[in-house]
């Protein structure tokens, strides 16, 4: 028995669009698929939750037990990004100040919800058990150690870790040479 949906089953889920060579676990939970765009060569493992507006580009892996809460503003994940296991990405969250009530069972006029798009750039890798909050722009090549708490936007080609995250050093760009070789091998034309 295959643990991933077949192409026919993926089409029946009702995504806004879904590419080729997509592997989504049958053990994942998908809410509002009509708001989701899935590119080519994407893998989403067991027990992941995808909810709301989400755009996933090409050659992306989302590991087991991760949760993406896109809400109405959405989450956008660029090519070659890697979301490790147990990562939580929120584009929407309740107000924790105590000024309003919280949770989805409370009517909107009794609570204050923060909703902002989350952007995850090309070649970003987010380590296991990390959390990304609404409005974060994670620029190309960002690397985040396990248990990182990402509450603000980050610099490109940098290595971060911690609670909250702190930049440790610059990240090497050698992988861009490998990307060109990889694309050449697959016959993928470079963008101009």
């Amino acid at each position: 028995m295959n643990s991933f949906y077949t192409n026919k089953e993926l089409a029946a889920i009702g995504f806004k669009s879904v590419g080729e060579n997509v592997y989504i676990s049958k053990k994942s939970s998908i809410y509002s698929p009509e708001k989701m765009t899935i590119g080519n060569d994407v893998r989403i493992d067991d027990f992941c939750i995808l909810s709301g507006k989400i755009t996933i580009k090409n050659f992306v892996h989302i590991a087991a037990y991760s949760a993406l809460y896109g809400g109405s503003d959405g989450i956008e994940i660029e090519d070659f990004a890697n979301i490790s296991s147990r990562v939580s990405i929120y584009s929407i969250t309740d107000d924790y100040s105590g000024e309003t009530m919280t949770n989805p069972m409370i009517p909107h006029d009794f609570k204050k919800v923060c909703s902002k798009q989350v952007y995850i750039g090309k070649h970003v890798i987010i380590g296991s058990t990390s959390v990304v909050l609404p409005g974060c722009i994670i620029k190309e090549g960002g690397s985040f150690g396990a248990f990182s708490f990402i509450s603000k936007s980050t610099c490109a080609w940098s290595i971060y870790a911690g609670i909250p995250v702190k930049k440790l050093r610059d990240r090497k760009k050698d992988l861009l040479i490998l990307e060109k070789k990889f694309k050449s091998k697959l016959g993928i034309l470079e963008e101009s």
Side-chain angles (χ1 to χ4, degrees):
M1 179 176 170
N2 189 346
S3 64
F4 295 107
Y5 289 111
T6 64
N7 289 341
K8 186 177 180 180
E9 289 169 331
L10 284 172
I13 290 172
F15 290 108
K16 185 174 182 179
S17 69
V18 63
E20 297 176 8
N21 198 34
V22 171
Y23 296 93
I24 299 177
S25 171
K26 291 179 181 179
K27 295 177 183 173
S28 62
S29 297
I30 300 168
Y31 303 95
S32 303
E34 70 280 1
K35 297 178 183 177
M36 297 178 194
T37 301
I38 312 289
N40 299 315
D41 302 288
V42 172
R43 181 173 140 180
I44 300 170
D45 292 341
D46 293 350
F47 311 113
C48 288
I49 299 170
L50 280 73
S51 176
K53 183 179 175 184
I54 299 172
T55 300
I56 300 171
K57 300 286 179 82
N58 305 308
F59 300 102
V60 172
H61 177 230
I62 300 172
Y65 292 97
S66 288
L68 282 66
Y69 302 102
S72 57
D73 287 313
I75 297 167
E76 184 172 344
I77 302 174
E78 293 290 347
D79 295 350
F80 302 107
N82 186 46
I83 310 300
S84 299
S85 60
R86 300 186 187 280
V87 170
S88 297
I89 303 171
Y90 299 90
S91 77
I92 187 167
T93 186
D94 283 315
D95 177 351
Y96 282 64
S97 70
E99 295 174 12
T100 65
M101 296 179 74
T102 64
N103 90 52
M105 301 310 296
I106 303 299
H108 284 287
D109 51 338
F110 292 95
K111 58 186 187 169
K112 179 178 160 188
V113 174
C114 173
S115 181
K116 296 178 183 174
Q117 183 190 37
V118 171
Y119 175 81
I120 297 172
K122 194 173 174 184
H123 292 295
V124 166
I125 182 167
I126 301 176
S128 181
T129 318
S130 294
V131 175
V132 181
L133 293 185
C136 287
I137 298 170
I138 300 175
K139 294 182 181 167
E140 179 175 309
S143 174
F144 299 84
F147 295 96
S148 290
F149 180 67
I150 307 162
S151 60
K152 59 185 178 182
S153 297
T154 60
C155 299
W157 297 103
S158 299
I159 298 174
Y160 289 85
I163 302 173
V165 293
K166 292 180 181 152
K167 182 176 175 178
L168 303 178
R169 63 183 176 274
D170 291 339
R171 186 178 183 204
K172 293 182 179 182
K173 297 181 184 179
D174 299 6
L175 61 87
L176 294 175
I177 296 166
L178 295 172
E179 177 191 346
K180 285 184 181 184
K181 289 179 182 177
F182 175 73
K183 285 182 171 180
S184 176
K185 184 176 179 180
L186 294 178
I188 299 172
L189 299 174
E190 288 292 318
E191 298 170 4
S192 39

